[in-house]
Amino acid sequence: MLQNVCKIAGRARSSGVPARFASVWAKVEKGPEDPILGVTVAFNKDTHADKINLGVGAYRDDNNKPFVLDCVRKAEQKIFEAKVDHEYTPIGGSAAFNKLAQSLVFGEESAAVKAKRIVTVQAISGTGALRVGADFMKRFVDVPLGPNGKKVVYVPQPTWGNHIPIYQDAGMDVKFYKYYNDKTCGLDFEGMANDLKTIPSQSIVLLHACAHNPTGVDPSPEQWKAISAICKEKGHFLFVDLAYQGFASGDPERDALAVRLLVQDGHNIGVSQSFAKNFGLYGERIGALSFVTASAEEAERVESQLKILIRPMYSNPPVYGARVVSEILASKELTSLWRTEVKVMADRIIDMRSSLRSLLKEFGSKRDWSHITNQIGMFCYSGMKPEEVDALARDHHVYLTRNGRISVAGITSKNVKHLAKSMVDVTKGL
Amino acid sequence: MGCGASSASHNVSSSMSKPTGTASSSAEQKVVRRIISAALIPVESENSFTNMASWFDKVPEAPVDPILGLNAAFKADPAAHKLNLGVGAYRTEDGKPWVLSSVKRAEEIILNSGKYNKEYLPIDGLPEFNVASARLMFGEQLYEANAARIVTVQSLSGTGGLKIAADFIHKFMPHATVYISDPTWANHKSIMSLAGVPWKAYRYIDRATNGLDFGGMVADLDAAPDGSVVLLHSCAHNPTGVDPSTDQWATLADLVHRKGHFVLFDNAYQGFASGDLDRDAYSVRLFLQRGFQFIVTQSFAKNFGLYAERIGACNVITGNEREANCVRSQLKLISRATFSNPPIHGALIVSIVLSNAELTALWKSELKSMADRIIRMRQVGCPPNLALVSASSSPSSSSSSHHLLLFLLRLVALLVLFLRPDRPGSANMLLLLLCVVPAWTSLSECRLCIALDASRSCSIVSYGWVPVDRAATDSIVC
């Protein structure tokens, strides 16, 4: 028997790579570099003392330092002292965390929450929630197929860059609906409404709940009502990306307004929730995915299918970030502290917007920069052209992405004057 | 370009349509039809927008995960006598989870040093972790010799690493079928299916002997088309625990070379299997040494006890540095669209331990103690009838069969007592006492365990009362 086996396997003990392997790697091309990362790379290379990085997608304090929230530190201390283990969580994450995450988004008093018809599972931050949500919609949400024979997701123009590969990797096509008006640097509401009406009925539509990324342009409450009505009439399936709850206005309830309105209007929505910015827990990758269903029984079925999707992706989610968030939201004292701190972050952003706008005027720019304060959240679509952005980098050591997107988190009281002067210079006082 | 008037308060234009009663367009008709056809919900009127048909009413209930679902079932079981022989997580002699001291020390450093914040890791993970992980896998020498062509990306434990590998295989080896062992970890099949990679089974276990069916394995891998992907467990095969010998690994390497197969190693138990990190890495290092290109995933769930932190790595061995850079960029695209960047906590713990000589030494000794306990449990031999009874995971054994068992065990003890008189007198006395304890005392909650060494027919190795809820491995714990 052994002889036969050896015969089959061959006695030759050569090392070296068989020729056929070369073809596998030869086909692998270098993937495109992340554009936002490119900004940081260029910034790091620059040795100028007054350089400013406006590409950063994380909050910075007024000294331009990363900020770990005090409520987080306190929660971590408690967790450490409790000497917890590292045992696997359930596939959908811990029930305690999921309940707290759900209440934060939908409100404890929500009828849907009380009726247990919302299913919430822990996710790998916002991206993970979007991805599992995408896989779920691909498998179960019955919408007409697009021209490529795939389900289509309609996203705003523009949207967060990563939305597109997430949906594509999940096997769906991405199309755009009008959103940003680059003449007004505000919302193209008519264009958006019209597109939502003319796309096929029962389409999947992605909405940003607040602090639209990358423009900072949000619909008003009245506009949200109108959007809800249009989508209802068309029977669209709505998926809401909520990455900045509390971080946009400083008020978590106010930032969840769109989500709660849609649920109240009877939409059964999907929601991706991130705790990266509002809890400063970026690298811990803590988020949640929710679906609002018709009944508690339906919610259970949906949950069972979400687990089937999660298990082959990563089996069960990382526990540490969930523990921190749970510790905070389960404690009145720590929740209160969190609310104070998230307001501090939001207020600093709002202050910097205000400072920048008034300084631009003070330094002689004739342009209307009101969109800087009209827009909300971490990002501001400045309206600057690619050539102006290049000039900012080249002549003033100010770095941002070429679409003119400023991360307001990178502005401080110490650098805002330099920034304003630079912007006035490259836009030639227009 | 200037921006026009403030856009803060758009007037809601008259083009906004309110829901009307006239469902004239075909799109609106479709919506109404859908509502009607969803028989659950009564249609009040065409304007009944508060009673939309549910998107999810056709979503079927999925079966519970065969492994992880068992945990839930165990927890839900109210019976006093229950055993959990399901989930693959280490337990101490007291049946408890174990947090390693080396891990605790690393967590203390993270908390108190003031050096660490919560910023995003790079898409491919913590660089220090990636290097440490690869060093551990391949050993210092092999790693140094091959570093330029090795790509390591941090992954969500072993599962996450396999998913990255599966997505990569799907994209860049679109015609390949993956060959997986029969049996294998159930999730392997789900991972390949989700990634759209077809899989087939190769023979692995000889169910008559519970040993390796090496001939069958070789025959099946030889019959597979050239250039197939072969999933191999580098050590501590899950679920059989049966591994090829070093000679058999050499034979497999020859076969892989001859057939031009591409190997995907699942390496989830390095150090946890034998207690020796290098020994458990033998198969992977053999393949690297032989010059193969392959993928090996790593999990730190078991060997660091970091299960829920989801820390692992996916290593791709390419041909050269240029290829490595291309492959790395492609793996990053996969990760970016799945989770953007991986979680810090587990990566920091592993990297802190492995960068500190003292903590590494502590970790290695703790790892060895875990492996040793498992090996000890396996070595406590049992005659077939006793082993069968004690290994039963049936949670609801009736008390009458329980009493019957006690009676039988006492009978055996009696027989042993009288048939082996060369025992010290004190042991004989103890055995006698054990035999006469009545079954209906509170000790009936315990099980009299007699461990008999099967190699020396029926001589007693150990005995004692064992609480029935102690989680045992596949042997009696005494």
Side-chain angles (χ1 to χ4, degrees), chain A residues 85-378:
Chain A
D85 60 37
H86 296 278
E87 292 301 293
Y88 290 125
T89 70
I91 299 174
S94 89
F97 166 79
N98 291 336
K99 191 164 189 293
L100 290 164
Q102 189 182 105
S103 295
L104 184 63
V105 179
F106 299 98
E108 265 170 18
E109 299 309 308
S110 150
V113 169
K114 287 185 173 155
K116 295 197 199 306
R117 46 185 196 90
I118 305 179
V119 50
T120 303
V121 292
Q122 185 184 338
I124 317 287
S125 207
T127 305
L130 284 160
R131 179 56 187 269
V132 175
D135 283 314
F136 180 86
M137 292 192 294
K138 156 86 165 29
R139 205 173 259 196
F140 291 109
V141 171
D142 190 17
V143 292
L145 300 182
N148 293 337
K150 294 184 188 170
K151 292 180 183 173
V152 179
V153 178
Y154 289 85
V155 305
Q157 176 68 276
T159 193
W160 181 46
N162 206 25
H163 279 143
I164 294 151
I166 287 171
Y167 290 116
Q168 287 176 338
D169 276 20
M172 297 193 280
D173 277 339
V174 172
K175 285 186 191 293
F176 293 90
Y177 58 85
K178 289 196 194 63
Y179 190 81
Y180 179 71
N181 182 335
D182 59 9
K183 303 283 183 299
T184 63
C185 298
L187 182 64
D188 175 7
F189 181 73
E190 282 190 31
M192 177 181 183
N194 198 51
D195 277 358
L196 291 178
K197 275 184 235 160
T198 51
I199 62 180
S201 296
Q202 294 162 62
S203 290
I204 299 173
V205 176
L206 176 77
L207 298 162
H208 297 222
C210 66
H212 180 271
N213 181 354
T215 67
V217 169
D218 287 346
S220 66
E222 296 74 35
Q223 288 169 330
W224 273 117
K225 289 202 185 92
I227 291 165
S228 173
I230 294 168
C231 291
K232 240 187 165 176
E233 191 173 335
K234 293 288 295 185
H236 292 326
F237 182 87
L238 302 178
F239 195 95
V240 186
D241 185 349
L242 177 68
Y244 297 98
Q245 187 183 7
F247 191 89
S249 69
D251 178 350
E253 279 63 52
R254 190 164 146 195
D255 290 342
L257 188 111
V259 173
R260 297 180 186 190
L261 173 82
L262 292 170
V263 175
Q264 234 166 7
D265 279 0
H267 294 277
N268 284 350
I269 60 176
V271 179
S272 64
Q273 185 183 6
S274 168
F275 294 92
K277 285 82 170 171
N278 57 3
F279 278 73
L281 286 172
Y282 307 93
E284 301 294 357
R285 315 312 292 131
I286 178 63
L289 166 66
S290 295
F291 282 103
V292 180
T293 73
S295 67
E297 185 269 334
E298 199 166 272
E300 272 183 29
R301 273 187 280 124
V302 170
E303 186 181 13
S304 73
Q305 293 295 347
L306 288 172
K307 287 186 201 170
I308 295 282
L309 282 166
I310 291 170
R311 178 52 157 150
M313 287 177 78
Y314 51 85
S315 282
N316 39 67
V319 75
Y320 191 70
R323 281 188 166 140
V324 172
V325 171
S326 296
E327 195 67 50
I328 294 169
L329 291 179
S331 150
K332 265 210 176 92
E333 187 199 329
L334 287 180
T335 299
S336 171
L337 178 56
W338 169 65
R339 283 173 180 270
T340 311
E341 292 187 288
V342 78
K343 189 166 188 325
V344 163
M345 290 193 285
D347 284 350
R348 195 184 91 68
I349 300 283
I350 291 166
D351 278 346
M352 289 301 102
R353 288 179 177 274
S354 196
S355 290
L356 180 61
R357 181 183 169 184
S358 46
L359 284 170
L360 284 165
K361 188 167 178 184
E362 189 183 312
F363 292 142
S365 177
K366 300 288 186 288
R367 231 186 241 198
D368 180 356
W369 296 102
S370 57
H371 52 280
I372 291 179
T373 47
N374 291 334
Q375 291 165 5
I376 191 168
M378 194 177 296

Side-chain angles (χ1 to χ4, degrees), chain A residues 8 25 29 185 232 298 383, chain B residues 1 3 49 54 258 293 330:
Chain A
I8 290 169
W25 308 117
E29 285 173 7
C185 298
K232 240 187 165 176
E298 199 166 272
Chain B
M1 169 189 67
C3 288
F49 293 109
S54 173
R258 197 171 51 77
Q293 294 171 357
Q330 295 293 343

Side-chain angles (χ1 to χ4, degrees), chain B residues 32-212:
Chain B
V32 171
R33 243 179 283 141
R34 193 168 189 284
I35 292 172
I36 292 169
S37 69
L40 300 168
I41 298 167
V43 179
E44 286 156 10
S45 73
E46 283 168 343
N47 289 354
S48 170
F49 293 109
T50 50
N51 285 335
M52 288 182 72
S54 173
W55 286 95
F56 310 108
D57 63 18
K58 299 233 174 19
V59 175
E61 177 85 32
V64 163
D65 186 275
I67 299 169
L68 299 176
L70 197 58
N71 241 7
F74 173 79
K75 280 198 185 124
D77 190 322
H81 338 293
K82 53 178 181 174
L83 277 176
N84 188 353
L85 301 179
V87 117
Y90 179 79
R91 291 287 178 269
T92 62
E93 280 281 325
D94 299 314
K96 300 268 184 296
W98 190 41
V99 179
L100 279 62
S101 299
S102 48
V103 166
K104 273 188 260 204
R105 298 249 312 257
E107 288 193 292
E108 201 169 5
I109 291 171
I110 296 171
L111 197 66
N112 295 329
S113 75
K115 267 170 50 177
Y116 304 103
N117 55 37
K118 304 289 178 200
E119 294 299 290
Y120 291 125
L121 288 180
I123 298 170
D124 54 346
L126 183 68
E128 298 90 322
F129 165 79
N130 289 340
V131 170
S133 190
R135 281 212 153 93
L136 189 72
M137 181 74 263
F138 303 111
E140 289 296 329
Q141 274 177 322
L142 268 179
Y143 174 74
E144 291 302 328
N146 291 282
R149 67 187 190 101
I150 296 175
V151 181
T152 306
V153 298
Q154 186 182 335
S155 65
L156 296 164
S157 206
T159 307
L162 287 163
K163 183 209 160 29
I164 292 173
D167 281 345
F168 184 83
I169 289 166
H170 178 69
K171 241 186 199 171
F172 295 102
M173 303 180 194
H175 307 296
T177 295
V178 172
Y179 284 78
I180 60 180
S181 62
D182 173 24
T184 195
W185 183 45
N187 208 19
H188 281 149
K189 299 174 190 172
S190 313
I191 292 169
M192 291 305 156
S193 297
L194 184 66
V197 177
W199 60 265
K200 285 203 165 97
Y202 59 83
R203 279 172 283 173
Y204 193 76
I205 205 73
D206 180 342
R207 285 179 168 86
T209 63
N210 279 333
L212 183 61

Side-chain angles (χ1 to χ4, degrees), chain B residues 105-336:
Chain B
R105 298 249 312 257
E107 288 193 292
E108 201 169 5
I109 291 171
I110 296 171
L111 197 66
N112 295 329
S113 75
K115 267 170 50 177
Y116 304 103
N117 55 37
K118 304 289 178 200
E119 294 299 290
Y120 291 125
L121 288 180
I123 298 170
D124 54 346
L126 183 68
E128 298 90 322
F129 165 79
N130 289 340
V131 170
S133 190
R135 281 212 153 93
L136 189 72
M137 181 74 263
F138 303 111
E140 289 296 329
Q141 274 177 322
L142 268 179
Y143 174 74
E144 291 302 328
N146 291 282
R149 67 187 190 101
I150 296 175
V151 181
T152 306
V153 298
Q154 186 182 335
S155 65
L156 296 164
S157 206
T159 307
L162 287 163
K163 183 209 160 29
I164 292 173
D167 281 345
F168 184 83
I169 289 166
H170 178 69
K171 241 186 199 171
F172 295 102
M173 303 180 194
H175 307 296
T177 295
V178 172
Y179 284 78
I180 60 180
S181 62
D182 173 24
T184 195
W185 183 45
N187 208 19
H188 281 149
K189 299 174 190 172
S190 313
I191 292 169
M192 291 305 156
S193 297
L194 184 66
V197 177
W199 60 265
K200 285 203 165 97
Y202 59 83
R203 279 172 283 173
Y204 193 76
I205 205 73
D206 180 342
R207 285 179 168 86
T209 63
N210 279 333
L212 183 61
D213 176 7
F214 192 59
M217 177 181 185
V218 164
D220 287 351
L221 293 180
D222 189 63
D226 287 6
S228 296
V229 179
V230 181
L231 199 156
L232 297 169
H233 301 223
S234 58
C235 68
H237 182 273
N238 181 356
T240 68
V242 171
D243 291 339
S245 65
T246 53
D247 279 350
Q248 288 169 332
W249 277 119
T251 306
L252 284 169
D254 292 341
L255 184 156
V256 167
H257 175 79
R258 197 171 51 77
K259 295 284 296 179
H261 287 334
F262 184 83
V263 171
L264 167 58
F265 274 111
D266 181 351
N267 177 60
Y269 297 98
Q270 188 186 1
F272 194 87
S274 71
D276 180 334
L277 288 155
D278 297 318
R279 191 166 145 192
D280 290 347
Y282 177 83
S283 57
V284 173
R285 293 180 189 182
L286 172 73
F287 272 70
L288 182 59
Q289 210 151 30
R290 292 266 305 250
F292 286 105
Q293 294 171 357
F294 58 95
I295 297 177
V296 53
T297 60
Q298 291 171 272
S299 167
F300 292 92
K302 285 80 171 172
N303 58 10
F304 266 80
L306 285 174
Y307 307 93
E309 304 298 342
R310 317 314 290 129
I311 178 64
C314 178
N315 301 278
V316 182
I317 320 304
T318 67
N320 54 55
E321 190 169 359
R322 186 200 67 82
E323 287 174 3
N325 288 333
C326 289
V327 168
R328 184 179 297 108
S329 71
Q330 295 293 343
L331 295 177
K332 279 162 70 169
L333 288 180
I334 293 170
S335 292
R336 179 57 161 150

